[in-house]
Short mmCIF file of all heavy atoms in Angstrom, two decimals:
data_model
loop_
_atom_site.label_atom_id
_atom_site.label_comp_id
_atom_site.label_asym_id
_atom_site.label_seq_id
_atom_site.Cartn_x
_atom_site.Cartn_y
_atom_site.Cartn_z
N SER A 19 14.76 67.31 -26.80
CA SER A 19 15.24 65.97 -26.50
C SER A 19 14.11 64.97 -26.30
O SER A 19 14.27 63.80 -26.60
CB SER A 19 16.19 65.96 -25.30
OG SER A 19 15.88 66.92 -24.36
N ASP A 20 12.91 65.44 -25.87
CA ASP A 20 11.81 64.48 -25.70
C ASP A 20 11.19 64.09 -27.04
O ASP A 20 10.37 63.19 -27.11
CB ASP A 20 10.74 65.00 -24.72
CG ASP A 20 10.17 66.35 -25.11
OD1 ASP A 20 10.44 66.84 -26.22
OD2 ASP A 20 9.43 66.93 -24.28
N ALA A 21 11.58 64.80 -28.13
CA ALA A 21 11.08 64.44 -29.47
C ALA A 21 12.13 63.70 -30.29
O ALA A 21 11.90 63.38 -31.45
CB ALA A 21 10.63 65.69 -30.21
N THR A 22 13.31 63.43 -29.69
CA THR A 22 14.33 62.71 -30.45
C THR A 22 13.84 61.30 -30.75
O THR A 22 13.05 60.72 -30.01
CB THR A 22 15.67 62.62 -29.68
OG1 THR A 22 15.43 62.08 -28.39
CG2 THR A 22 16.33 63.96 -29.55
N LEU A 23 14.32 60.76 -31.86
CA LEU A 23 13.94 59.42 -32.30
C LEU A 23 15.02 58.45 -31.84
O LEU A 23 16.18 58.81 -31.74
CB LEU A 23 13.81 59.41 -33.83
CG LEU A 23 12.95 60.54 -34.40
CD1 LEU A 23 13.04 60.58 -35.91
CD2 LEU A 23 11.51 60.38 -33.95
N ASN A 24 14.62 57.20 -31.59
CA ASN A 24 15.56 56.25 -30.99
C ASN A 24 15.60 54.90 -31.70
O ASN A 24 15.56 53.87 -31.05
CB ASN A 24 15.16 56.02 -29.53
CG ASN A 24 16.28 56.38 -28.58
OD1 ASN A 24 17.37 56.68 -29.03
ND2 ASN A 24 16.02 56.34 -27.30
N PRO A 25 15.68 54.84 -33.03
CA PRO A 25 15.70 53.53 -33.69
C PRO A 25 16.98 52.78 -33.37
O PRO A 25 18.08 53.33 -33.48
CB PRO A 25 15.63 53.88 -35.19
CG PRO A 25 16.19 55.26 -35.28
CD PRO A 25 15.84 55.95 -33.99
N GLY A 26 16.83 51.53 -32.94
CA GLY A 26 18.01 50.72 -32.61
C GLY A 26 18.82 51.30 -31.48
O GLY A 26 20.01 51.01 -31.35
N GLY A 27 18.19 52.17 -30.65
CA GLY A 27 18.88 52.75 -29.51
C GLY A 27 19.79 53.92 -29.85
O GLY A 27 20.51 54.42 -29.00
N VAL A 28 19.75 54.39 -31.12
CA VAL A 28 20.57 55.53 -31.53
C VAL A 28 19.71 56.79 -31.55
O VAL A 28 18.67 56.83 -32.19
CB VAL A 28 21.18 55.29 -32.95
CG1 VAL A 28 21.96 56.51 -33.40
CG2 VAL A 28 22.06 54.05 -32.94
N ARG A 29 20.15 57.85 -30.85
CA ARG A 29 19.35 59.08 -30.76
C ARG A 29 19.51 59.92 -32.03
O ARG A 29 20.62 60.17 -32.48
CB ARG A 29 19.77 59.92 -29.56
CG ARG A 29 19.40 59.31 -28.23
CD ARG A 29 19.70 60.26 -27.10
NE ARG A 29 18.68 61.28 -26.97
CZ ARG A 29 18.77 62.28 -26.09
NH1 ARG A 29 19.81 62.40 -25.31
NH2 ARG A 29 17.80 63.18 -26.01
N ILE A 30 18.37 60.36 -32.56
CA ILE A 30 18.36 61.18 -33.77
C ILE A 30 17.51 62.41 -33.51
O ILE A 30 16.36 62.30 -33.05
CB ILE A 30 17.75 60.38 -34.96
CG1 ILE A 30 18.67 59.21 -35.34
CG2 ILE A 30 17.50 61.28 -36.15
CD1 ILE A 30 18.02 58.25 -36.32
N GLY A 31 18.04 63.60 -33.79
CA GLY A 31 17.26 64.83 -33.67
C GLY A 31 16.37 65.01 -34.90
O GLY A 31 16.84 64.85 -36.04
N THR A 32 15.10 65.30 -34.68
CA THR A 32 14.16 65.42 -35.81
C THR A 32 14.56 66.53 -36.78
O THR A 32 14.29 66.44 -37.98
CB THR A 32 12.74 65.67 -35.30
OG1 THR A 32 12.77 66.77 -34.37
CG2 THR A 32 12.16 64.46 -34.61
N ALA A 33 15.21 67.59 -36.27
CA ALA A 33 15.59 68.71 -37.14
C ALA A 33 16.52 68.27 -38.26
O ALA A 33 16.54 68.86 -39.34
CB ALA A 33 16.25 69.82 -36.32
N GLU A 34 17.31 67.21 -38.01
CA GLU A 34 18.21 66.71 -39.05
C GLU A 34 17.43 66.19 -40.25
O GLU A 34 17.83 66.36 -41.40
CB GLU A 34 19.10 65.61 -38.48
CG GLU A 34 19.99 66.06 -37.34
CD GLU A 34 20.68 64.88 -36.66
OE1 GLU A 34 21.73 64.45 -37.17
OE2 GLU A 34 20.17 64.38 -35.64
N ILE A 35 16.29 65.55 -39.98
CA ILE A 35 15.44 65.02 -41.06
C ILE A 35 14.73 66.16 -41.77
O ILE A 35 14.73 66.25 -43.01
CB ILE A 35 14.43 63.99 -40.50
CG1 ILE A 35 15.17 62.76 -39.96
CG2 ILE A 35 13.41 63.60 -41.56
CD1 ILE A 35 14.29 61.74 -39.28
N TYR A 36 14.12 67.06 -41.00
CA TYR A 36 13.36 68.17 -41.61
C TYR A 36 14.26 69.01 -42.52
O TYR A 36 13.83 69.48 -43.57
CB TYR A 36 12.76 69.09 -40.53
CG TYR A 36 11.88 68.39 -39.52
CD1 TYR A 36 11.78 68.87 -38.21
CD2 TYR A 36 11.16 67.25 -39.85
CE1 TYR A 36 10.98 68.24 -37.27
CE2 TYR A 36 10.36 66.61 -38.91
CZ TYR A 36 10.29 67.11 -37.62
OH TYR A 36 9.49 66.48 -36.69
N ARG A 37 15.48 69.19 -42.12
CA ARG A 37 16.41 70.05 -42.87
C ARG A 37 16.49 69.63 -44.33
O ARG A 37 16.46 70.46 -45.24
CB ARG A 37 17.79 69.96 -42.22
CG ARG A 37 18.86 70.64 -43.03
CD ARG A 37 20.24 70.41 -42.45
NE ARG A 37 21.25 70.99 -43.33
CZ ARG A 37 22.55 70.86 -43.15
NH1 ARG A 37 23.02 70.19 -42.11
NH2 ARG A 37 23.39 71.41 -44.01
N TYR A 38 16.59 68.33 -44.58
CA TYR A 38 16.80 67.86 -45.95
C TYR A 38 15.49 67.59 -46.68
O TYR A 38 15.36 67.89 -47.86
CB TYR A 38 17.71 66.63 -45.94
CG TYR A 38 19.08 66.99 -45.42
CD1 TYR A 38 19.50 66.59 -44.15
CD2 TYR A 38 19.93 67.81 -46.17
CE1 TYR A 38 20.75 66.96 -43.66
CE2 TYR A 38 21.17 68.19 -45.69
CZ TYR A 38 21.58 67.76 -44.43
OH TYR A 38 22.80 68.16 -43.95
N VAL A 39 14.52 67.05 -45.97
CA VAL A 39 13.23 66.74 -46.61
C VAL A 39 12.57 68.03 -47.11
O VAL A 39 12.02 68.08 -48.22
CB VAL A 39 12.30 66.00 -45.63
CG1 VAL A 39 10.89 65.86 -46.22
CG2 VAL A 39 12.86 64.63 -45.31
N GLU A 40 12.63 69.09 -46.31
CA GLU A 40 11.91 70.31 -46.65
C GLU A 40 12.63 71.15 -47.71
O GLU A 40 12.11 72.16 -48.15
CB GLU A 40 11.60 71.11 -45.38
CG GLU A 40 10.59 70.35 -44.52
CD GLU A 40 10.26 71.01 -43.19
OE1 GLU A 40 10.58 72.20 -43.01
OE2 GLU A 40 9.66 70.32 -42.33
N GLN A 41 13.83 70.70 -48.11
CA GLN A 41 14.48 71.33 -49.25
C GLN A 41 13.94 70.82 -50.58
O GLN A 41 14.12 71.45 -51.62
CB GLN A 41 15.98 71.05 -49.22
CG GLN A 41 16.74 71.92 -48.25
CD GLN A 41 18.22 71.60 -48.32
OE1 GLN A 41 18.85 71.80 -49.34
NE2 GLN A 41 18.76 71.07 -47.25
N LEU A 42 13.28 69.66 -50.57
CA LEU A 42 12.74 69.09 -51.80
C LEU A 42 11.61 69.96 -52.33
O LEU A 42 10.76 70.42 -51.56
CB LEU A 42 12.25 67.66 -51.55
CG LEU A 42 13.32 66.66 -51.08
CD1 LEU A 42 12.69 65.32 -50.71
CD2 LEU A 42 14.37 66.46 -52.17
N ASP A 43 11.59 70.17 -53.63
CA ASP A 43 10.58 71.04 -54.24
C ASP A 43 9.16 70.57 -53.95
O ASP A 43 8.24 71.37 -53.83
CB ASP A 43 10.78 71.09 -55.76
CG ASP A 43 12.04 71.86 -56.13
OD1 ASP A 43 12.49 72.68 -55.31
OD2 ASP A 43 12.56 71.62 -57.23
N GLU A 44 8.97 69.25 -53.84
CA GLU A 44 7.62 68.70 -53.69
C GLU A 44 7.06 68.87 -52.27
O GLU A 44 5.84 68.79 -52.06
CB GLU A 44 7.61 67.20 -54.02
CG GLU A 44 8.06 66.86 -55.43
CD GLU A 44 9.57 66.65 -55.55
OE1 GLU A 44 10.32 67.12 -54.66
OE2 GLU A 44 9.99 66.02 -56.52
N VAL A 45 7.95 69.05 -51.28
CA VAL A 45 7.53 69.00 -49.87
C VAL A 45 7.39 70.41 -49.29
O VAL A 45 8.32 71.22 -49.36
CB VAL A 45 8.54 68.18 -49.03
CG1 VAL A 45 8.12 68.18 -47.56
CG2 VAL A 45 8.64 66.76 -49.56
N LEU A 46 6.23 70.67 -48.70
CA LEU A 46 5.99 71.95 -48.04
C LEU A 46 6.54 71.92 -46.62
O LEU A 46 7.29 72.79 -46.20
CB LEU A 46 4.48 72.26 -48.04
CG LEU A 46 4.06 73.68 -47.77
CD1 LEU A 46 4.62 74.63 -48.82
CD2 LEU A 46 2.54 73.79 -47.74
N GLU A 47 6.16 70.88 -45.86
CA GLU A 47 6.68 70.72 -44.50
C GLU A 47 6.50 69.27 -44.07
O GLU A 47 5.83 68.48 -44.75
CB GLU A 47 6.02 71.69 -43.52
CG GLU A 47 4.52 71.63 -43.48
CD GLU A 47 3.92 72.68 -42.55
OE1 GLU A 47 4.69 73.38 -41.87
OE2 GLU A 47 2.69 72.76 -42.47
N SER A 48 7.09 68.93 -42.91
CA SER A 48 7.06 67.53 -42.48
C SER A 48 7.11 67.43 -40.96
O SER A 48 7.46 68.40 -40.26
CB SER A 48 8.25 66.78 -43.09
OG SER A 48 9.47 67.39 -42.71
N ILE A 49 6.76 66.24 -40.47
CA ILE A 49 6.87 65.97 -39.03
C ILE A 49 7.24 64.50 -38.88
O ILE A 49 6.71 63.64 -39.58
CB ILE A 49 5.55 66.32 -38.28
CG1 ILE A 49 5.74 66.21 -36.76
CG2 ILE A 49 4.38 65.48 -38.75
CD1 ILE A 49 4.58 66.83 -35.97
N ALA A 50 8.20 64.21 -37.98
CA ALA A 50 8.67 62.84 -37.79
C ALA A 50 8.45 62.40 -36.35
O ALA A 50 8.63 63.19 -35.42
CB ALA A 50 10.16 62.74 -38.14
N ILE A 51 8.07 61.13 -36.18
CA ILE A 51 7.91 60.56 -34.84
C ILE A 51 8.53 59.17 -34.81
O ILE A 51 8.81 58.58 -35.85
CB ILE A 51 6.42 60.46 -34.42
CG1 ILE A 51 5.67 59.50 -35.37
CG2 ILE A 51 5.75 61.81 -34.37
CD1 ILE A 51 4.53 58.77 -34.71
N GLY A 52 8.72 58.65 -33.60
CA GLY A 52 9.12 57.27 -33.43
C GLY A 52 7.89 56.44 -33.05
O GLY A 52 7.20 56.77 -32.08
N GLN A 53 7.61 55.38 -33.82
CA GLN A 53 6.49 54.49 -33.49
C GLN A 53 7.04 53.20 -32.88
O GLN A 53 7.95 52.58 -33.45
CB GLN A 53 5.69 54.14 -34.76
CG GLN A 53 4.47 53.26 -34.45
CD GLN A 53 3.85 52.65 -35.71
OE1 GLN A 53 4.46 52.65 -36.78
NE2 GLN A 53 2.63 52.12 -35.58
N ASP A 54 6.50 52.81 -31.73
CA ASP A 54 6.90 51.55 -31.11
C ASP A 54 6.51 50.41 -32.04
O ASP A 54 5.32 50.30 -32.43
CB ASP A 54 6.21 51.37 -29.75
CG ASP A 54 6.63 52.46 -28.76
OD1 ASP A 54 7.71 53.04 -28.94
OD2 ASP A 54 5.85 52.74 -27.82
N TRP A 55 7.49 49.56 -32.40
CA TRP A 55 7.19 48.52 -33.39
C TRP A 55 8.17 47.36 -33.23
O TRP A 55 9.38 47.55 -33.28
CB TRP A 55 7.30 49.09 -34.81
CG TRP A 55 6.75 48.14 -35.84
CD1 TRP A 55 7.47 47.31 -36.67
CD2 TRP A 55 5.38 47.92 -36.14
NE1 TRP A 55 6.62 46.59 -37.46
CE2 TRP A 55 5.33 46.93 -37.16
CE3 TRP A 55 4.18 48.45 -35.64
CZ2 TRP A 55 4.12 46.46 -37.68
CZ3 TRP A 55 2.98 47.99 -36.17
CH2 TRP A 55 2.95 47.01 -37.18
N ASP A 56 7.63 46.17 -33.02
CA ASP A 56 8.44 44.95 -33.03
C ASP A 56 9.61 45.05 -32.03
O ASP A 56 10.77 44.81 -32.38
CB ASP A 56 8.95 44.70 -34.45
CG ASP A 56 9.36 43.25 -34.67
OD1 ASP A 56 8.93 42.40 -33.86
OD2 ASP A 56 10.09 42.98 -35.64
N ASN A 57 9.28 45.46 -30.80
CA ASN A 57 10.28 45.59 -29.72
C ASN A 57 11.39 46.59 -30.02
O ASN A 57 12.49 46.50 -29.48
CB ASN A 57 10.91 44.22 -29.38
CG ASN A 57 9.87 43.25 -28.88
OD1 ASN A 57 9.03 43.60 -28.06
ND2 ASN A 57 9.90 42.03 -29.41
N ASP A 58 11.10 47.53 -30.91
CA ASP A 58 12.07 48.59 -31.24
C ASP A 58 11.24 49.84 -31.54
O ASP A 58 10.05 49.91 -31.22
CB ASP A 58 12.91 48.16 -32.45
CG ASP A 58 14.17 49.03 -32.63
OD1 ASP A 58 14.37 49.97 -31.83
OD2 ASP A 58 14.93 48.79 -33.58
N VAL A 59 11.88 50.82 -32.13
CA VAL A 59 11.20 52.05 -32.56
C VAL A 59 11.50 52.25 -34.04
O VAL A 59 12.66 52.11 -34.46
CB VAL A 59 11.72 53.27 -31.75
CG1 VAL A 59 11.14 54.57 -32.31
CG2 VAL A 59 11.38 53.13 -30.29
N ARG A 60 10.46 52.53 -34.82
CA ARG A 60 10.71 52.83 -36.23
C ARG A 60 10.35 54.28 -36.52
O ARG A 60 9.44 54.85 -35.92
CB ARG A 60 9.95 51.88 -37.16
CG ARG A 60 8.44 52.00 -37.12
CD ARG A 60 7.81 51.01 -38.10
NE ARG A 60 6.35 51.12 -38.10
CZ ARG A 60 5.54 50.32 -38.81
NH1 ARG A 60 6.05 49.37 -39.58
NH2 ARG A 60 4.23 50.48 -38.76
N VAL A 61 11.10 54.89 -37.44
CA VAL A 61 10.89 56.30 -37.79
C VAL A 61 9.73 56.39 -38.79
O VAL A 61 9.73 55.71 -39.82
CB VAL A 61 12.16 56.91 -38.41
CG1 VAL A 61 11.91 58.37 -38.82
CG2 VAL A 61 13.32 56.83 -37.42
N VAL A 62 8.76 57.25 -38.46
CA VAL A 62 7.62 57.51 -39.36
C VAL A 62 7.67 58.99 -39.73
O VAL A 62 7.74 59.86 -38.86
CB VAL A 62 6.28 57.17 -38.68
CG1 VAL A 62 5.12 57.49 -39.63
CG2 VAL A 62 6.24 55.70 -38.26
N LEU A 63 7.64 59.24 -41.04
CA LEU A 63 7.69 60.62 -41.54
C LEU A 63 6.37 60.96 -42.22
O LEU A 63 5.94 60.26 -43.14
CB LEU A 63 8.85 60.79 -42.54
CG LEU A 63 8.98 62.18 -43.18
CD1 LEU A 63 9.44 63.20 -42.14
CD2 LEU A 63 9.97 62.13 -44.34
#
């Protein structure tokens, strides 16, 4: 829960992103964070 992303105040579990990105043939692995930006949080992959 401390790694969940919060863009626009909506909670997102990082595992949901990894699940689909890491199925792509080109991608070996990934990590996602929330970056504080413009009085909100943006998702960085």
Side-chain angles (χ1 to χ4, degrees):
S19 33
D20 56 10
T22 53
L23 310 172
N24 238 354
V28 177
R29 290 186 79 184
I30 293 170
T32 51
E34 298 171 84
I35 294 175
Y36 304 150
R37 171 187 175 185
Y38 296 107
V39 172
E40 292 177 15
Q41 281 182 64
L42 299 173
D43 290 337
E44 300 89 340
V45 178
L46 197 60
E47 55 183 355
S48 58
I49 188 167
I51 63 149
Q53 182 193 15
D54 297 337
W55 191 259
D56 201 18
N57 298 315
D58 195 359
V59 173
R60 66 180 181 183
V61 178
V62 179
L63 178 69

